[in-house]
Amino acid sequence: MKKPKDNKSTKRALSKTKQTNGKIIRRRNSQKTTGQPETKRAPSLAKQLFLIIIATSLVITAFVSWMILTKPERSLPVTDKTDEKHYFSDSKYKGIRSKFVTRSSKKEATSLEYPVTDNNKINKITSSIIDRYDNDFKHLLPGGSGIKPMTQTISYQVSYNTSDYLSIAIYIKQDTHGAHPLSATSFWTFDKNTGAAISLDDLLEGDENDIKALLDAAKKSVKKTLEDRKKPEANLEEYLTKSTLNNFTISNNSITWPFGQQAFLPSSYGEIGINLPAKDLATNLQHPLARKLLNIPEPKKMPPTKPALPQANPSANCPSGRCVALTFDDGPGPHTERLLDILRQHNVKASFFVLGSKSSSGTHILRRTASEGHYIGNHSWSHANLSKLEAGSIHKELSQTSEAIYKATGKRPSSMRPPYGASNHIVASEMKKLEMSSIMWSVDTRDWADRNSIIVCNRAVAGASPGAIILMHDIHSTSVDATPCIIDALKKQGYSFVTVEQLFGKLVPGETYHSNP
Ligand code: ZN
């Protein structure tokens, strides 16, 4: 693109030199004819010759200098000739300039636009991403001259820009003549004062309920996009996680994720942007930073975060008024008895949501669990995602497990917890038929992800509030190790430990419980 322009300027420079030459000669000539008297003709001829020689040598010197000055570029082999240019320009965004880098050769046509803000930390983060993609691109350039230049365009857009915060998205498009042109994005919402990117945890102060609500809304939005595009269903439970959504942008009072291709689904699904209007999630976005960024007015009265929750039965066994329920899923397992020992030492009652498939080998553990005053609930037979099963299979998963628990303890469970928290109206209807309620949780320790008892303990303690249900798994020894730490810390804060049945007084079949209140 830039090469022909350069040739033009070369020609311009050359013709200018020739013109200069002509002018000099003309001036000398005219000086001779008008300024010199006729009588001095003979010496005048010698002088004239002398002047011509001087002028000619001046022109030659100028031409040679020009040759030397332009030599490095001209001496490059044609195939390697890359014309890289840098320049700065104001952007349309307040306080942000753009640095443009363009490269043009037979191999590539590249155009990069770097945002340049007043904060060097922000500039470093954004430019390092651009440079990383650019380096990958450079490595893909062919050794010789390509048949058709590979193209690369990296640009950015700002969707939110105040004196304190900045949402920016970088769009990377590369066509390296492979099967699929690359279309990727990177985006952040920055704190302009610190230069740090704001995470989802920062936005929602680590509130697991609110994060889960956002995650659910995001999954719903992606599901709708896939349906609209007539794409096959994707396992969003697995692919669309909290860490996928950790970076976000703010745009028009919405939280947006301008994902490119392959951000969390295969490239055949295309680019998948997620846009969640704040007004639809207002109850989950009451944290000060979220309210500020998303323009959510201070509520006159805090709306209930969980509408239509069953009220605590006055007979609920919580004399302290500060009760939490520790719940353990996926057992019985090799660490369950050690956990029972710990609970007995601390005189704490807990709830266990057990798998039917593990009950036959663990009958004696179930019997001990029940006899020591803990609550046993149903967690399906095979840890199936019940929301993907038909009514008959859901019924079988639940009823066989209840039967196994009954055989071991003489009591049928009054509640179930759907594996992965995945439920739908069919699951709800089957559980009601079996006279069970559904017990979810309000504090997710993510103990299966972080097998670290200190992290698990910290999450449980940080998330606890009166009426909370804390989710853990007794199949991990680190979770069992974390239990004394949780009990000690929460007891110091005046909490008592109850089973889920005690927490709600009476569990109503068909109801779903997250916490009380
Ligand atoms: Zn489970």
Side-chain angles (χ1 to χ4, degrees), residues 329-331 353 355 379 383 417-421 471-473 475:
D329 289 7
D330 296 359
F353 289 89
L355 291 174
H379 195 43
H383 208 267
R417 170 173 283 167
Y420 316 104
L471 169 65
M472 296 169 74
H473 297 81
I475 50 168

Side-chain angles (χ1 to χ4, degrees), residues 243-443:
S243 67
T244 320
L245 298 182
N246 197 41
N247 281 355
F248 57 88
T249 61
I250 301 293
S251 176
N252 294 327
N253 296 334
S254 294
I255 313 181
T256 56
W257 289 269
F259 287 120
Q261 288 177 349
Q262 268 180 295
F264 56 94
L265 289 178
S267 65
S268 60
Y269 282 89
E271 296 169 6
I272 295 175
I274 304 174
N275 183 62
L276 302 181
K279 62 175 167 48
D280 298 345
L281 287 156
T283 53
N284 302 105
L285 297 168
Q286 292 298 328
H287 308 279
L289 181 57
R291 278 224 305 269
K292 193 170 177 184
L293 290 173
L294 292 153
N295 208 13
I296 294 171
E298 185 107 25
K300 286 187 192 95
K301 226 168 120 185
M302 276 285 276
T305 50
K306 289 274 185 296
L309 259 179
Q311 287 303 299
N313 189 308
S315 69
N317 186 12
C318 182
S320 69
R322 279 168 84 82
C323 289
V324 290
L326 294 180
T327 66
F328 297 93
D329 289 7
D330 296 359
H335 311 292
T336 307
E337 289 195 276
R338 186 159 69 86
L339 175 61
L340 290 173
D341 293 341
I342 291 168
L343 295 174
R344 187 163 55 187
Q345 279 163 21
H346 290 82
N347 193 23
V348 160
K349 304 300 176 210
S351 306
F352 293 79
F353 289 89
V354 303
L355 291 174
S357 57
K358 290 187 181 168
S359 297
S360 53
S361 60
T363 308
H364 64 288
I365 304 177
L366 288 188
R367 198 170 293 133
R368 179 182 162 190
T369 306
S371 74
E372 295 187 358
H374 304 294
Y375 176 86
I376 297 177
N378 186 324
H379 195 43
S380 84
W381 184 267
S382 64
H383 208 267
N385 183 334
L386 300 180
S387 68
K388 295 206 167 145
L389 299 183
E390 291 177 354
S393 309
I394 299 169
H395 184 90
K396 206 170 157 191
E397 284 277 342
L398 294 177
S399 62
Q400 284 187 342
T401 304
S402 288
E403 219 40 49
I405 295 169
Y406 176 73
K407 262 186 207 158
T409 67
K411 202 181 160 196
R412 282 194 180 78
S414 59
S415 76
M416 57 86 83
R417 170 173 283 167
Y420 316 104
S423 190
N424 58 21
H425 67 281
I426 308 170
V427 176
S429 134
E430 289 308 314
M431 96 194 176
K432 197 174 177 182
K433 276 185 208 162
L434 290 164
E435 302 218 309
M436 284 191 283
S437 58
S438 171
I439 307 282
M440 306 299 266
W441 57 88
S442 59
V443 180

Side-chain angles (χ1 to χ4, degrees), residues 26-38 44 48:
R26 271 200 300 276
R27 197 168 68 235
R28 292 301 180 198
N29 281 346
S30 70
Q31 253 179 5
K32 188 229 100 180
T33 47
T34 56
Q36 302 297 324
E38 294 261 323
S44 161
Q48 191 180 344

Side-chain angles (χ1 to χ4, degrees), residues 61-370:
T61 312
F63 185 72
V64 168
S65 315
W66 173 78
M67 286 287 284
I68 289 165
L69 278 170
T70 54
K71 199 182 169 196
E73 200 183 332
R74 291 168 64 91
S75 67
L76 280 173
V78 177
T79 48
D80 275 343
K81 178 157 178 170
T82 293
D83 176 15
E84 176 163 320
K85 300 222 181 302
H86 302 251
Y87 61 99
F88 288 83
S89 163
D90 282 335
S91 77
K92 60 182 169 183
Y93 310 112
K94 192 172 174 242
I96 301 171
R97 283 167 68 72
S98 287
K99 177 189 164 193
F100 289 93
V101 174
T102 60
R103 288 194 308 269
S104 169
S105 72
K106 287 193 171 171
K107 290 182 197 175
E108 64 167 322
T110 281
S111 162
L112 313 175
E113 184 182 7
Y114 295 78
V116 184
T117 72
D118 294 335
N119 188 303
N120 274 332
K121 212 173 146 192
I122 295 175
N123 300 343
K124 236 181 190 166
I125 294 171
T126 51
S127 66
S128 76
I129 287 285
I130 294 175
D131 290 341
R132 206 181 74 204
Y133 276 101
D134 188 33
N135 280 329
D136 290 349
F137 178 78
K138 282 178 187 162
H139 280 119
L140 291 170
L141 290 176
S145 172
I147 301 159
K148 219 174 107 192
M150 293 183 171
T151 58
Q152 175 178 227
T153 308
I154 302 185
S155 56
Y156 70 89
Q157 278 181 28
V158 169
S159 59
Y160 187 86
N161 189 9
T162 64
S163 54
D164 293 326
Y165 300 99
L166 171 72
S167 282
I168 193 163
I170 293 180
Y171 294 83
I172 302 108
K173 308 255 185 230
Q174 293 176 345
D175 189 350
T176 52
H177 310 322
H180 297 287
L182 173 82
S183 171
T185 58
S186 277
F187 46 85
W188 310 262
T189 294
F190 289 111
D191 181 327
K192 277 187 180 175
N193 300 310
T194 64
I198 299 166
S199 70
L200 206 56
D201 270 331
D202 297 332
L203 186 72
L204 303 177
E205 295 174 347
D207 187 315
E208 295 286 342
N209 276 331
D210 294 336
I211 290 168
K212 190 174 180 297
L214 237 69
L215 202 52
D216 288 346
K219 282 176 196 161
K220 214 170 142 187
S221 154
V222 173
K223 216 174 151 196
K224 170 100 179 38
T225 305
L226 299 187
E227 275 168 17
D228 290 349
R229 291 183 191 171
K230 302 196 166 35
K231 294 283 182 191
E233 237 183 79
N235 185 353
L236 297 177
E237 291 298 325
E238 191 178 329
Y239 293 133
L240 191 56
T241 62
K242 181 177 151 189
S243 67
T244 320
L245 298 182
N246 197 41
N247 281 355
F248 57 88
T249 61
I250 301 293
S251 176
N252 294 327
N253 296 334
S254 294
I255 313 181
T256 56
W257 289 269
F259 287 120
Q261 288 177 349
Q262 268 180 295
F264 56 94
L265 289 178
S267 65
S268 60
Y269 282 89
E271 296 169 6
I272 295 175
I274 304 174
N275 183 62
L276 302 181
K279 62 175 167 48
D280 298 345
L281 287 156
T283 53
N284 302 105
L285 297 168
Q286 292 298 328
H287 308 279
L289 181 57
R291 278 224 305 269
K292 193 170 177 184
L293 290 173
L294 292 153
N295 208 13
I296 294 171
E298 185 107 25
K300 286 187 192 95
K301 226 168 120 185
M302 276 285 276
T305 50
K306 289 274 185 296
L309 259 179
Q311 287 303 299
N313 189 308
S315 69
N317 186 12
C318 182
S320 69
R322 279 168 84 82
C323 289
V324 290
L326 294 180
T327 66
F328 297 93
D329 289 7
D330 296 359
H335 311 292
T336 307
E337 289 195 276
R338 186 159 69 86
L339 175 61
L340 290 173
D341 293 341
I342 291 168
L343 295 174
R344 187 163 55 187
Q345 279 163 21
H346 290 82
N347 193 23
V348 160
K349 304 300 176 210
S351 306
F352 293 79
F353 289 89
V354 303
L355 291 174
S357 57
K358 290 187 181 168
S359 297
S360 53
S361 60
T363 308
H364 64 288
I365 304 177
L366 288 188
R367 198 170 293 133
R368 179 182 162 190
T369 306

